[in-house]
Amino acid sequence: MIIMKKRMLAVLLSVLLITAMTGCGSKKEEAGDGKLKKITFVLDWTPNTNHTGIYVAKEKGYFKEAGLDVEIVQPPEDGAEVLVGSGKAQFGISFQDTMMPAVVGDDALPIKAVAAVLQHNTSGIVSRKGDGIKRPKGLEGKKYATWNQDIEKAILKQVVEKDKGNFSKVNMIPSTVTDEVSALKSKKVDAIWIYYGWAGIATEVAGLDTDYFAFKDIDPVFDYYTPVIIGNSEWMKKNPETAKAFLSAAKKGYEYAIEDPKDAGDILCEASPELDSKMVQASQKYMKDQYKAEVKQWGYINPERWNAFYNWISEKGLSKTKIPENTGFTNDYLE
């Protein structure tokens, strides 16, 4: 899967624009289909198995049963955070790392993470098998595809140095990889930051032998939440029961995807016929164990893990201001 870190700059640039749009996020929800309340849900990228539970909830009628008419829309160029922050969408998909610029400081948008789509960070570095990049130190002398984002580079530097490697020896190649399999096969780059549930599975489906290490396995501070469902905090304060109803229906959708990943994958493919069904089904089989993992409640965000990552950002000077505890998330709307 394409990493969303390249959107961080767009988020930063958009914060000032959106904060000038007063009143948009504070409106009461309007009626949708008949008596159903209209909800707009914005994706972070093209449809994939991060989103399956939302499509299942829509197809199976869970949203309708909750009194909601949910429209799923593609994100604008500047990301889901901006659309949700403006109040033009009530909910969307984001990531704890890339949403940081939008929730910190005087120009923060009125958004909060309200549910963890996956319980653990499944991102890490993939490389061709046998190239010696089983661990971070192996990146020395290799070509890494970078988005040149500060948080991205700081994470990579920490895991390399934690593995006794020399980060200055990593060959940083500015590149936005859209096809990880082709990029590795062509040897344009040697290592790529991916989410294993999509791009990692894609290498398996393509029959490409790879090595992979997850950031959370190198340093637990990087077991942050990615992706998450975000909501407009002003709208949610005014409409708490509707917010809870939405998340309750979404929970049913993701729990269905855990119990019946094949049918859930078929629902995603039917909604997005451009997707490769073999790829979706393989990804869905992997993701069913990631949506809740070891926790009992889908969507729960552990404050210690959330705060640990934002504290690390503050310590590294990656935020203009120190990030207060419990910034940018809430479990209050989960049931």
Side-chain angles (χ1 to χ4, degrees):
M1 181 187 293
I2 300 170
I3 303 296
M4 309 313 172
K5 292 179 174 55
K6 65 181 182 178
R7 293 194 294 110
M8 289 186 70
L9 180 59
V11 173
L12 280 165
L13 293 175
S14 300
V15 168
L16 291 175
L17 293 175
I18 295 302
T19 50
M21 300 172 61
T22 59
C24 292
S26 60
K27 294 179 181 179
K28 291 277 188 176
E29 70 271 359
E30 297 177 356
D33 181 15
K35 294 182 180 180
L36 300 179
K37 295 173 182 176
K38 176 75 177 195
I39 296 291
T40 299
F41 184 91
V42 58
L43 302 179
D44 57 294
W45 205 252
T46 53
N48 57 68
T49 49
N50 281 338
H51 314 137
T52 304
I54 301 298
Y55 282 97
V56 168
K58 186 175 178 68
E59 173 63 24
K60 290 289 183 181
Y62 301 151
F63 287 134
K64 190 173 183 179
E65 290 171 4
L68 306 175
D69 173 22
V70 176
E71 180 185 12
I72 303 170
V73 301
Q74 295 290 313
E77 182 66 27
D78 44 13
E81 299 89 352
V82 172
L83 207 61
V84 175
S86 72
K88 294 180 179 178
Q90 287 72 44
F91 296 98
I93 295 282
S94 188
F95 305 79
Q96 188 181 354
D97 50 353
T98 58
M99 70 182 281
M100 184 276 294
V103 298
V104 175
D106 295 337
D107 297 321
L109 297 179
I111 61 173
K112 283 190 176 183
V114 291
V117 174
L118 307 181
Q119 263 304 304
H120 295 284
N121 182 359
T122 62
S123 72
I125 299 297
V126 69
S127 61
R128 292 178 296 273
K129 191 172 186 63
D131 276 10
I133 316 180
K134 288 184 178 181
R135 296 191 62 82
K137 189 178 188 304
L139 286 165
E140 291 182 349
K142 300 299 195 303
K143 294 178 290 185
Y144 165 73
T146 179
W147 294 273
N148 278 326
Q149 300 297 333
D150 291 341
I151 292 179
E152 170 212 5
K153 291 185 288 186
I155 290 174
L156 198 69
K157 182 176 187 291
Q158 181 148 320
V159 297
V160 169
E161 292 180 348
K162 194 174 183 71
D163 198 35
K164 311 300 183 184
N166 186 337
F167 182 68
S168 67
K169 293 183 179 180
V170 180
N171 189 2
M172 308 288 279
I173 305 296
S175 175
T176 301
V177 174
T178 57
D179 184 337
E180 292 83 2
V181 173
S182 295
L184 290 175
K185 281 185 175 180
S186 67
K187 298 189 176 182
K188 291 180 179 179
V189 294
D190 303 315
I192 307 169
W193 185 326
I194 64 165
Y195 285 102
Y196 199 86
W198 193 257
I201 297 300
T203 65
E204 293 181 11
V205 171
L208 177 65
D209 291 332
T210 62
D211 286 320
Y212 174 80
F213 65 82
F215 293 115
K216 69 178 179 63
D217 293 341
I218 307 301
D219 193 325
V221 77
F222 299 134
D223 194 13
Y224 54 88
Y225 286 94
T226 174
V228 293
I229 292 177
I230 58 172
N232 182 289
S233 53
E234 294 176 353
W235 178 88
M236 291 188 296
K237 284 180 181 179
K238 291 180 177 293
N239 304 282
E241 296 308 313
T242 304
K244 290 177 181 179
F246 172 83
L247 289 175
S248 180
K251 174 186 175 182
K252 289 181 182 179
Y254 281 100
E255 288 182 338
Y256 185 92
I258 293 170
E259 295 300 321
D260 195 340
K262 185 182 185 306
D263 190 51
D266 288 341
I267 289 172
L268 178 62
C269 288
E270 185 175 348
S272 306
E274 71 277 8
L275 296 176
D276 178 85
S277 61
K278 184 178 180 181
M279 169 65 195
V280 167
Q281 291 296 345
S283 174
Q284 206 63 64
K285 186 176 180 181
Y286 170 87
M287 295 288 269
K288 71 180 179 65
D289 296 324
Q290 307 301 321
Y291 292 132
K292 285 175 67 175
E294 76 286 354
V295 302
K296 293 181 179 180
Q297 183 183 35
W298 173 84
Y300 177 72
I301 296 173
N302 184 317
E304 290 184 7
R305 281 172 47 205
W306 183 279
N307 289 326
F309 182 62
Y310 275 0
N311 288 341
W312 176 83
I313 286 179
S314 293
E315 291 165 6
K316 295 295 180 180
L318 298 168
S319 170
K320 292 181 180 179
T321 59
K322 180 176 173 58
I323 306 175
E325 292 281 288
N326 301 321
T327 292
F329 85 97
T330 179
N331 287 310
D332 291 350
Y333 300 100
L334 293 175
E335 294 185 329

